[in-house]
Amino acid sequence: MRILGIDPGIAIVGFGFIDKNGSKLTPVQYGCIQTEAHTPEEERLLHVYEGMLQLIDRYKPEAVALEKLFFNRNVTTAMSVGQARGVLVLAAVQRGLAVAEYTPMQVKQAIVGYGKAEKKQVQEMVRMYLKLSAVPKPDDVADALAVAVCHAHSYTLNSKINEVLRK
C-alpha cells in the first residue's frame, strides 16, 4: 500500500510518500510545496492545490493521512493553514482517496511511543524507520513522513481490530 503523509501549511506543505509491504516501510518520495510570502493568499492556495494534484497523479497513493490542525495563539496563521488544509483534502477526495487525520499527539505516540515526545525524537525515529541517511529538511517534510508512518501503523492495527470484530 502506498501512503501519502501531509503536514499542511500555507508557506510550506510537507509531503511524504511511503510504501508499506507487510511490516516493511520504504520511502518513495518526499519534499515540500512552497509558496511565496508576499503572494496573494488565493494564489498560494491554488499553487498548493495544483501541486498536490500533480503529486497524487504522479505517485498514485492508496491512502492519504494529514496532521490535524493544532491551534496556537495566532488566529490569522491558523485560518491560513486551515484553508490550505481544505484544498489539500479537496485534492485527495477529488482523486477518490480516503483521508485519515491524526493529532500531533497521536503521531508522536505511534512513532516514539510517547505522546509528548520532543520533535527531534520523532524526526530521528522517522529517519530510523525509513532507513534514511539524514533527517529530512525542512521539519515539515519530516513531519509529513511521520504522519505517513503513523497511518501505516494505525492502518495495520485498525485492520486487525476490524478482522476480530467481523468474527
Side-chain angles (χ1 to χ4, degrees):
M1 170 166 65
R2 180 158 294 169
I3 301 166
L4 166 58
I6 302 173
D7 181 34
I10 189 72
I12 301 174
V13 175
F15 68 85
F17 291 88
I18 64 170
D19 282 345
K20 177 180 174 22
N21 189 355
S23 62
K24 185 179 179 190
L25 301 178
T26 307
V28 175
Q29 182 61 275
Y30 50 90
C32 59
I33 300 168
Q34 294 183 285
T35 65
E36 294 296 322
H38 300 292
T39 305
E41 190 167 61
E42 58 274 12
E43 288 180 32
R44 294 175 90 177
L45 291 170
L46 180 63
H47 181 73
V48 166
Y49 172 74
E50 289 177 340
M52 188 51 60
L53 284 177
Q54 288 174 3
L55 288 166
I56 289 170
D57 290 346
R58 182 169 183 188
Y59 295 102
K60 303 192 181 333
E62 296 164 62
V64 177
L66 280 104
E67 189 168 88
K68 281 188 180 179
L69 285 183
F70 174 76
F71 287 98
N72 55 17
R73 291 184 199 139
N74 189 336
V75 176
T76 305
T77 301
M79 293 295 287
S80 293
V81 173
Q83 289 179 316
R85 190 184 168 288
V87 300
L88 292 162
V89 169
L90 176 63
V93 172
Q94 278 189 326
R95 292 301 191 254
L97 299 167
V99 177
E101 300 177 283
Y102 300 95
T103 65
M105 188 175 276
Q106 287 173 309
V107 173
K108 291 174 182 180
Q109 180 71 40
I111 303 296
V112 180
Y114 177 59
K116 294 183 180 178
E118 305 256 337
K119 194 172 199 66
K120 295 282 184 215
Q121 290 174 295
V122 175
Q123 292 173 344
E124 184 57 26
M125 288 302 293
V126 165
R127 186 192 70 73
M128 290 169 57
Y129 274 124
L130 299 176
K131 297 176 178 57
L132 302 172
S133 59
V135 172
K137 296 290 180 196
D139 288 352
D140 311 77
V141 178
D143 292 348
L145 286 168
V147 173
V149 171
C150 172
H151 185 68
H153 291 186
S154 298
Y155 176 82
T156 301
L157 178 62
N158 289 336
S159 295
K160 288 181 181 177
I161 289 170
N162 289 333
E163 225 176 86
V164 169
L165 292 175
R166 276 187 242 126
K167 291 181 180 178

